[in-house]
Amino acid sequence: MFDNDKMKLLYKRMVVTRQLEYGIREQHKAGKVRGPVHMCVGQEATGVGACACLNDDDWVTSTHRGHAHFVGKGLDLNKMVAEMMGKSTGYCGGKASHMLIASREKGMLGGCGIVCGALGIGVGYGLTFKMDGSDRVALSFLGDGASNEGMFHEALNMAALWKTNNVIFVEHNMYGLTVRADRHLSVENISDRAAAYGIPGVSIDGNDIIAVIEATEEAVARARRGEGPTLIEAKTYRVLGFSTGDKGGYQSQEEIDSWTTPEKDPIIRFAKYLQEKGICTEADIEELNAEAQNDVDKAIQFGLESPYPDSSVLMEGIFA
Amino acid sequence: MSKRFYKDVLREALIEEMERDSNVFLLGEDIEVYGGAFRVTEKLNEMFGSMRVMDTPISEQAQTGIAIGAAIAGKRPVLEMMYMDWIGLTLDQMVNQASLLHYVYDGQVKLPFVMRTQGGARASASAQHSKSLEAWFCHIPGIKVVSPSTPYDAKGLLKAAIRDDNPVLFIEHKLLYGTRGEVPEEEYILPIGKADIKREGSDCTVIATSAMVLEALEAAEELEKEGISIEVVDPRTLVPFDKETVKESIEKTNHAVIVHEAWKTGGFGGEIAAIIAEEMFDSLDAPVIRLGAKDCPIPYSPGLEPLTVPNKDDIIAAVKKSLQ
Amino acid sequence: MVNIDLMVLAGDYVKTAVISEWKVKVGDSVKKGDVLLVVETNKITQDIEASCDGIVEQILFQEGDDVEISKTVAVIVDGSGTAAAPEEEKPAIEISGSETASLDTGVRTVITPVAKKMAKEKGIDLDELTKRFPGKRIGKKEVLAFEEAPAKDFFVTGQHGKEGGETADPAIETAASESIMAEAAVSVAKTTEIPVKGIRKAIASAMRNSAYSKPHVSMMIDVQLDEMLEMKAFLKNKYPEKRITLTGLLALAVRSALGECPYINGTATEDTITLSDSVNLGIAVDAEGGLLVPVIKNIGAKSGLELFEAVNHAAKGCREGTLAPSDYAGGTFTISNVGATGVKYFTPIINSPEIAILGVGASTKEAVVVNGEVRERTMIGLSLSFDHAVVDGSPAGRFLKTLKEKIEHPFMMALS
């Protein structure tokens, strides 16, 4: 496990993630963030916890619902929000949107709007690290829906075959767009699919950041040793629906409520853990909450005040 | 200089680039142990080992993703896509990742990877193994598309493609592998994005790609006997397209015939014709004529297949029609 | 606003007319039907009327100008300010129009992009270019040909490749004729210069055009007129109120002979011979302004008396100038009677584009051998000029022989 400072940082990151989502939702309603935004409220533990086990030069491929991954990998909040608003000060100069945020410096390479679209790329990273004889690791996030894509099976087979330096982290949030898992998955545990490729697969409670850290550390260590990929399936839940454009109605209020109890909510659980372990007092928690809110507010302000990119950049950078 | 086979000089290019830069590696189906379906990677595994010449499972989508990831991570992969007909399986990775990550990530990543493929009919390979699909990729900004017609062009351009920091679709032709041409002994590179005048002429410009260049040159010989002189322009690169060379030629001849093996409808010839009409209209003495495969799936029978693809007689007829 | 043009003259091969007199000037107020100007063609003199009430806003050509009949010569604006009703539909005549011919009568010449560019660079007028190659697509080749030889050489057709179907070019005025006139004038003490214009010019052009484009061969034959003169006397007695002329009677015989020799009845250009089963007979008339040829349409449909009447009407109307332009068009054969001069035989010039013309000379009493004995007979000379490009000598002679038989034995006409 990590030292106290880091644990506090992780807690703050989880709160930042949640406050970011709600803040962005407000900005979206105000027309400052345009296009569909895919928010990860309820899934803070997976992104923040898994990324905590990585160094800056370990690379992550993300999904369309990657804000917890970005925050967890230590990306600058200002540049994240600016990118979500399409401003020139964003990570990608405003060209990317919230789905395609990337930071080479922090090893987030990167956001991806195609379901399972980046897994092959992640395996390409893991293969390269192996070819170079390094112990760098590539961790790829994907969802339960993605585990049905052809790419999932092709990439897992090759990663397993070549024992590439990869961790495949599935955030099973129970829905592939509007279709619930029991209506799209042929198995109950996606981790069972690991056996099909001869690699270890493990299912964990994705709302328990400690469980996430433990499983990820083990998988990362395995990959660093050159023993190949591990499939982690973290069971979690997305509270706010698919995207800002989601009409809703397919996630029952009952179901949503069952996942947002203090026993299930990842932030509340971690706060409890930190206090039980004597890492934080209640006041510390309050302070961290306030700091997180403040950081988010400042980032939103930064985004609002930043300019749009100049039209002259439109045709630049198509080819290297 | 010596006369060498198209497929052999491709191998030479791979060897030279792999020796020059240890980041260059090859992956694809049947390329390692077997040496490639068209023998291009023959014995390369013995020279470079299995970490640099890798047989892959039959998983085109992931092959492409992995090549993209490796390229971002600092390698220069050359992926062999055995038949262009299967390139559909790679489309998502090419169109939604390879073509745009450099732009969308605002230059934070480069994707120096080459996808080598081959297409073409008249080999009785049937409908799913005979297509020319370059038009799909010409349409996507961010991908360079190269199509060499001679061994000389193939070697020089493959080296250039491998050294290019962008995704390059390198299109060979199953009937060109066995053709021979003069290739220098010493090392040379050709520029991507520059056309080549394969034969100078004065009466009509014939813009031809890949295997159709050979048909055009044969047509030129026959037309010469009738006193008609055609200029055969081989674009060599489709994207980025060399408009200047084409413009100079049309200003000289005032007539244009475009010929490619891909289907006429929606083929890249339409793009070239439109460029000519938009930017070289005042030089035209006759409408632009396009030749392409007949708009039908490619049938197997030796009695039917040859009818689908343009040949030298079609080119001759088109040139004469243009000059009427 | 109404554009006044000369399309009322439209008929076979009438392309231009000369403005001989303006009756109005800019600013004049006119009523519908007022004569605006007078024009002349090689066939007639014509008044051009205003087709609406209004004010003359523009006069676009001067007296003496030779104008294409499709061109606007004057513009009348409707005094009331509302748009005047447009003229009735202009006939779609194929003129060697300009490249911007959308205003014209419907035929657009195609000029390729590079040709347009080259013409502009070389200062070649597009109208000239399209006139030179009527009905053809103008490409680079045509521009280069024009550059090499801008003046169309009338004598050498086909030198610069195939040209349009017209052989007639009525507006040509060669320098040669002027110099001959000048020479003749120098040898006499007092010279008078008469510019060749108006109807004289039109006739001159027509004559030259016909003479130079059709290879003329003339065949002469002597015909005994006695029986026809008896017929004439009989008819005059029977129909004292009708005017029965020799020309009318000859027209009957010509009709009958043409019926048996249809290859002589029609028109011909360099490319096409157009034969007709309708005989449209032109009668050459020596009118005040010059030689005119009114045409009697479809004489085959008329009875003999109707034909005589038509011949008289044509000659009279022509002399009095009351015929319409269409009365001078569409001829397939012409009779030209110069008998009043005493001339026996001559080589008439074909009324182009017809295939042949029958010249009729003076009739004289002569001594003729009949059945071994010398008898007095009234003889008349017939001179047939025909287009040898189109008809050979034997068939032409055959027609003359047939015609002679019809005249010498009029009852033979009853058989056909």
Side-chain angles (χ1 to χ4, degrees), chain B residues 254 281-286 324, chain C residues 112-114 117 137 139-140:
Chain B
N254 310 117
F281 183 73
D282 284 342
S283 299
L284 288 174
D285 207 17
Q324 248 170 33
Chain C
T112 70
V114 72
K117 182 167 144 222
R137 186 163 141 265
K140 180 174 174 180

Side-chain angles (χ1 to χ4, degrees), chain A residues 150-217:
Chain A
M151 174 64 97
F152 178 85
H153 301 276
E154 289 187 26
L156 241 60
N157 178 57
M158 281 203 258
L161 182 67
W162 293 332
K163 294 190 164 29
T164 58
N165 298 12
N166 283 94
V167 176
I168 291 110
F169 197 109
V170 178
E171 295 173 297
H172 186 337
N173 66 7
M174 284 190 57
Y175 282 89
L177 224 156
T178 65
V179 179
R180 207 175 59 214
D182 59 326
R183 295 177 62 236
H184 74 68
L185 274 175
S186 58
V187 293
E188 177 156 354
N189 294 318
I190 294 169
S191 56
D192 290 346
R193 289 182 167 169
Y197 303 101
I199 62 173
V202 59
S203 294
I204 60 170
D205 177 356
N207 282 11
D208 175 358
I209 195 171
I210 304 300
V212 169
I213 292 167
E214 281 173 354
T216 308
E217 280 203 322

Side-chain angles (χ1 to χ4, degrees), chain A residues 20-21 24-25 28 32-40 62-71 75 79-87 90-92 94-102 108 110-113 241-245, chain B residues 104-105:
Chain A
L20 177 67
E21 300 304 68
I24 289 299
R25 192 169 68 162
H28 188 272
K32 304 296 182 194
V33 174
R34 308 245 274 245
V37 181
H38 308 81
M39 294 162 294
C40 63
S62 176
T63 63
H64 53 285
R65 194 180 304 286
H67 296 175
H69 314 156
F70 304 151
V71 172
L75 266 60
K79 290 166 83 170
M80 271 172 62
V81 173
E83 186 59 44
M84 293 182 200
M85 293 181 174
K87 302 298 180 80
Y91 262 108
C92 301
K95 288 178 173 174
S97 88
H98 88 99
M99 276 188 275
L100 287 160
I101 286 176
M108 170 52 67
C112 176
F242 178 71
S243 75
T244 48
Chain B
V104 154
Y105 285 175

